[in-house]
Amino acid sequence: ERTDRFVLRVVSMESPRGAGEVRLERVRLSVKKGTAPAVGSFVELKARLLPPMSPQRPGSYDFGRDMYFQRIGASGFVMGAIKAAAPPDSGGIALRYSAFMQGLRDAIDARIRNVLEGDKRAIATALLTGRRDAISPPVNDAMFVSGLGHVLSISGYHMAVVAGIVFFAIRALLALVPVLTVSFPIKKWSAAGALLAAAFYLLLSGAEVATQRSFFMTAVVLIAVMVDRRAITFRTLAVAALIVLAMAPEALVHPSFQMSFAATLGLVALVQIGMPALFAAPDHSATARVALWGGREFTMLLLASLVAGLATMPYAAFHFHRITPFGVVANLAAMPVVSALVMPAGLLGLLAMPFGFDGFFWWLMGAGIDWMVAVARWVAGLPGAVGRMAAFGTAPLILAS
């Protein structure tokens, strides 16, 4: 049976050798599915604890390092029942906030569960709350082999879609009132509303490194709109990187940080350098006629997938020892549906939840997820879809960077 994991803040623990109490700030425990205590609970239990794992081979992924920066001193599994007890104190604002956000995520998952099931429900929950533990291994593997695994990790794409939808929706609604359009800066108001929506999405999704980077990048862009400055620049990306590193310097060597910033750097270069060179032509030219019929959008989607895939390829090869040869094909087939159907339906579902009208939007979201999963399975089944890469050192990675 699959297991749940939870992080426990330890008050005290008796040493097995009778040496008194040993202080451990946090431990991570595994229990049977569905038996994990609620966030904020005070519990008594017996558990077998082990020190953090060392790398399996020199240079491989270091679990202990990540656990150290999460302030987790041990991991293990629960033995026997988990008993609830009266808490000695309230736990403070941080614990109450964590309990509230977890309750909100559970409520969203429960509403989605009423309409969707299986991998559709798991992926919908992952896109909105960041919880990816319920996706079945075959679908999860197909997503990553096909090059669509980035959809499951809330990063720049998701944040941009959320902020963009909110921005244009607020601006369109305000534009319906002529007095506001003429007399007030509704574009700046829309940017402020989109910033609040992006901040809420950051908190709801758990604020992982990739999500933090995308939020800071989005925040700088929206603030630039509010102060009448150019939004998408290399300076914007540099500011976002400095903020992330100031908050979590250890993120520098993590694949999430490296791949996220590499992809964004390539896309910013495409916007600043590629787009003007590609579409700078008179209105009567053949290029303009192609752009009029959607050629511009298709070309930009193709180039964005190609640039982001090439930019992240060295880091995927270094950390995961595989590359995705058909990633561009999978992204071209699936990402328009995700952008136009899956994410907007998810946002509308969140807005409709308090009124009980969210079921239809979850169904729409599930239809788009079905298409995305079908594309992932098809691409993953193509000959040569899995590109294996032998382990290599950091010098080639630095040279590739």
Side-chain angles (χ1 to χ4, degrees), residues 147 150 262-267 270 278 297-314 324-333 335:
H150 64 90
T264 308
L265 179 62
L267 294 176
L270 178 64
L278 185 62
E297 286 72 20
F298 178 81
T299 303
M300 286 309 300
L301 181 61
L302 175 64
L303 288 176
S305 299
L306 183 62
V307 166
L310 289 175
T312 57
M313 188 177 295
T324 55
F326 302 123
V328 173
V329 176
N331 280 274
L332 280 177
M335 295 315 293

Side-chain angles (χ1 to χ4, degrees), residues 113-132:
R113 193 189 298 267
N114 291 333
V115 179
L116 305 177
E117 59 182 13
D119 287 311
K120 287 193 292 185
R121 190 268 300 179
I123 293 176
T125 299
L127 294 177
L128 296 177
T129 67
R131 296 170 56 180
R132 304 189 296 269

Side-chain angles (χ1 to χ4, degrees), residues 166-167 170 186-198 222 226:
V166 174
F167 177 85
I170 294 177
I186 63 172
K187 183 179 180 181
K188 297 181 180 180
W189 292 2
S190 303
L195 182 59
L196 292 177
L222 294 173
M226 288 187 274

Side-chain angles (χ1 to χ4, degrees), residues 17-300:
R17 297 181 180 178
E21 291 187 348
V22 179
R23 291 291 178 180
L24 285 177
E25 186 173 358
R26 304 172 81 195
V27 299
R28 186 174 66 185
L29 301 177
S30 297
V31 293
K32 286 186 177 180
K33 191 74 173 177
T35 63
V39 173
S41 302
F42 189 80
V43 297
E44 294 179 353
L45 52 84
K46 288 185 178 181
R48 182 186 179 108
L49 297 180
L50 298 172
M53 289 179 59
S54 300
Q56 297 298 305
R57 60 171 179 77
S60 66
Y61 178 68
D62 191 348
F63 294 91
R65 178 187 174 279
D66 279 356
M67 292 178 68
Y68 170 81
F69 285 108
Q70 296 175 38
R71 297 173 303 178
I72 298 176
S75 62
F77 53 90
V78 174
M79 303 171 64
I82 302 175
K83 300 177 182 179
D89 53 57
S90 62
I93 296 176
L95 187 59
R96 288 197 293 271
Y97 159 76
S98 298
F100 171 78
M101 293 306 298
Q102 188 60 41
L104 185 59
R105 296 185 191 105
D106 291 339
I108 293 171
D109 182 57
R111 296 300 289 265
I112 294 175
R113 193 189 298 267
N114 291 333
V115 179
L116 305 177
E117 59 182 13
D119 287 311
K120 287 193 292 185
R121 190 268 300 179
I123 293 176
T125 299
L127 294 177
L128 296 177
T129 67
R131 296 170 56 180
R132 304 189 296 269
D133 57 333
I135 302 174
S136 66
V139 171
N140 191 67
D141 291 343
M143 293 289 289
F144 281 94
V145 168
S146 65
L148 291 175
H150 64 90
V151 178
L152 303 179
S153 175
I154 297 178
S155 57
Y157 167 76
H158 306 77
M159 195 66 69
V161 170
V162 170
I165 291 174
V166 174
F167 177 85
F168 288 112
I170 294 177
R171 193 175 183 185
L173 291 174
L174 294 176
L176 296 176
V177 184
V179 176
L180 295 178
T181 306
V182 174
S183 306
F184 298 95
I186 63 172
K187 183 179 180 181
K188 297 181 180 180
W189 292 2
S190 303
L195 182 59
L196 292 177
F200 173 75
Y201 191 41
L202 171 73
L203 299 177
L204 181 65
S205 62
E208 294 183 353
V209 172
T211 317
Q212 291 179 28
R213 190 276 310 161
S214 56
F215 170 74
F216 293 133
M217 182 82 180
T218 303
V220 173
V221 169
L222 294 173
I223 292 172
V225 172
M226 288 187 274
V227 298
D228 297 318
R229 298 293 298 271
R230 187 175 179 181
I232 302 177
T233 65
F234 293 111
R235 187 177 297 109
T236 305
L237 184 64
V239 170
L242 289 173
I243 294 174
V244 172
L245 290 176
M247 296 177 62
E250 71 276 6
L252 179 64
V253 298
H254 200 276
S256 175
F257 179 92
Q258 295 173 2
M259 297 179 72
S260 180
F261 274 96
T264 308
L265 179 62
L267 294 176
V268 172
L270 178 64
V271 170
Q272 287 202 193
I273 302 171
M275 286 181 65
L278 185 62
F279 298 113
D283 290 342
H284 61 274
S285 67
T287 304
R289 289 195 297 272
V290 171
L292 182 65
W293 292 97
R296 180 189 182 115
E297 286 72 20
F298 178 81
T299 303
M300 286 309 300

Side-chain angles (χ1 to χ4, degrees), residues 352-372:
M353 269 185 60
F355 309 101
F357 303 134
D358 52 317
F360 173 70
F361 298 111
W362 303 138
W363 178 84
L364 277 180
M365 196 176 185
I369 291 172
D370 272 339
W371 171 258
M372 181 178 67

